[in-house]
Amino acid sequence: INSPSLGTADLNQLPMGSIERVEVVKGPGSLLYGSGAMAGTVNILTKNPQQDKTILKVKGGFGSEGALELAAEQGMYVADGLGYYLTASRKETDGFRDNSNLRHNDASLKLVYDKNKLLTASLYGALIDREYGVPGVKPPAGTQDHFVNGTRIYSGDAASLVDEGSDRNLYSALELKSQPLTWLTLALHGDAVNMENYLYQRNNGPAWPKAAGEGEETWVTNKVLGLEGTAEMRLPEGVTLLLGSQYRDYDYTNEVGGLDSYGVAVAGSRTEERHAVFTRGSYGEAQWQANQYLKLLTGLRYEEHSMFGHEALPRFGMVLSPQETTTIKLGHGKHFKAPTMNDLYWPESDFARGNPALKPETGWHSDLTLEQSFLEKKLIASVSGFKWNIDDKIDWAPNPAFPGPWGDKWTPSNIDTYEATGWELGLEAKPFDFLRVGLSYT
């Protein structure tokens, strides 16, 4: 769900009804997941139907500011081993400020086939459709309504009363798993993502070279196609070996069109910029459960990027349990992050531009954790220390090499080094089977 343009995930766009649980893994994840998994990985698992049980949930709610939410879920097995899980929801609000309205619709469908260990399959699809106002900052006290050509452009409550945006995203994923032998599990995963964003923006005052009320429309489309295959082998003497290969293709399109002082599209002003990159990664990870006290992990990923060449990413880990209530974890690995599409190809304007000459971020992450349980594991205390660094970190800042009419243009550049050290204390209690509470300080 990460956007190739932004390099991050917009959690507002998740179809919440389809989520079964969320797993968070701290530490470098580039070995298994490639670019971007630098400090950790968030895995969002979707719901499955349940055998011999029909699930039906309906939810409705309303609140202030015109808030309304409707949602429904339904899941069941319709034949031997064949089932589905369907969700749909609508959320809307007028917002607590002028032009902060939101209309959100989403739907998801998951088909599963789970007959035996020889083949299990799932096909998941989700559609998200959103429209929203973009009010900008709240103006200073005493700001009066402002009109351009008869249209109210801003008020004392919002910097813009006409800016708006929309998102239309489609996610799909197919996963096949097979266990042909007791010690071997094979998996094939394919996904296709289409993210479309539209933004309508107008100047609320003259900003050379545009007059008051003029602006632009922007359409950004990101398409991602991915394919990954893995083989997990559970070998004698407590050894588990995971081998995998992954291919991902990214297609990015940015279109910009001008608006006149009445907010009408200017004929012939629309321009288009399109770019495509791909990555190939192969990895192997070995785990050795030496005995009940010691577990060792090591792995290596070889990543190829169509723009930036190749990168080798090793990782090492150890889990030591000197007694049943005490666990010591040690991790050390290399991580990397390729520049986003915005970093590379942000269309040049009077204020900003991308930088196709960027290098990817690389670095190392080390962490040490001690966990101690009490009261038959109903209380767990932990303390962690970590250190990481990044070479060639990407940072946006005004660049004197690219002057503009309103000062130096904001441009991404590579910083030589960037590092941090820290620690974390954690306390988790499970007084009852149905209740778990936790507190952490970092």
Side-chain angles (χ1 to χ4, degrees), residues 121-142:
S122 68
L123 176 62
Y124 175 81
L127 175 65
I128 294 91
D129 185 280
R130 292 158 51 86
E131 297 179 354
Y132 45 85
V134 184
V137 299
K138 187 169 184 176

Side-chain angles (χ1 to χ4, degrees), residues 267-339:
S269 66
R270 190 160 170 172
T271 61
E272 177 181 311
E273 189 169 354
R274 181 173 179 177
H275 301 276
V277 299
F278 65 86
T279 62
R280 285 192 295 256
S282 299
Y283 56 90
E285 182 185 73
Q287 296 186 27
W288 179 39
Q289 186 73 52
N291 48 52
Q292 60 179 327
Y293 308 107
L294 178 64
K295 180 180 181 180
L296 300 176
L297 178 148
T298 185
L300 178 69
R301 182 186 185 98
Y302 182 79
E303 185 86 358
E304 296 177 88
H305 195 287
S306 60
M307 287 190 64
F308 306 113
H310 60 84
E311 194 75 43
L313 304 159
R315 183 183 179 189
F316 313 94
M318 180 184 72
V319 179
L320 181 64
S321 303
Q323 54 187 18
E324 187 178 353
T325 58
T326 305
T327 302
I328 301 171
K329 303 176 182 179
L330 174 65
H332 180 66
K334 189 176 183 180
H335 49 213
F336 89 110
K337 181 180 180 181

Side-chain angles (χ1 to χ4, degrees), residues 19-189:
I19 297 175
E20 177 68 33
R21 67 183 188 275
V22 178
E23 299 175 347
V24 179
V25 181
K26 298 180 182 180
S30 291
L31 169 66
L32 298 180
Y33 301 103
S35 172
M38 301 185 75
T41 309
V42 178
N43 188 23
I44 300 171
L45 296 102
T46 52
K47 293 178 180 177
N48 287 318
Q50 299 181 21
Q51 293 281 5
D52 303 321
K53 184 178 181 180
T54 298
I55 298 171
L56 177 60
K57 298 180 181 180
V58 179
K59 179 173 69 173
F62 64 92
S64 59
E65 315 298 348
L68 172 69
E69 180 175 0
L70 300 171
E73 305 174 30
Q74 205 268 313
M76 60 184 294
Y77 275 86
V78 295
D80 189 17
L82 181 63
Y84 69 90
Y85 204 97
L86 175 66
T87 73
S89 73
R90 176 178 175 85
K91 291 179 285 188
E92 59 182 62
T93 176
D94 296 331
F96 60 92
R97 290 200 292 144
D98 291 345
N99 196 33
S100 62
N101 58 290
L102 167 70
R103 302 292 182 268
H104 172 110
N105 299 289
D106 67 60
S108 74
L109 174 64
K110 188 174 187 179
L111 302 174
V112 298
Y113 178 79
D114 188 4
K115 182 66 175 177
N116 50 50
K117 292 183 177 181
L118 192 59
L119 178 63
T120 60
S122 68
L123 176 62
Y124 175 81
L127 175 65
I128 294 91
D129 185 280
R130 292 158 51 86
E131 297 179 354
Y132 45 85
V134 184
V137 299
K138 187 169 184 176
T143 300
Q144 302 297 315
D145 289 358
H146 180 68
F147 293 81
V148 175
N149 294 327
T151 300
R152 195 165 67 115
I153 295 291
Y154 66 80
S155 67
D157 197 44
S160 174
L161 301 177
V162 295
D163 290 1
E164 60 186 10
S166 65
D167 296 295
R168 288 173 178 82
N169 298 347
L170 177 63
Y171 304 92
S172 59
L174 173 65
E175 186 173 59
L176 306 174
K177 283 187 176 182
S178 176
Q179 189 177 344
L181 303 170
T182 56
W183 56 271
L184 176 64
T185 300
L186 304 174
L188 184 66
H189 181 96

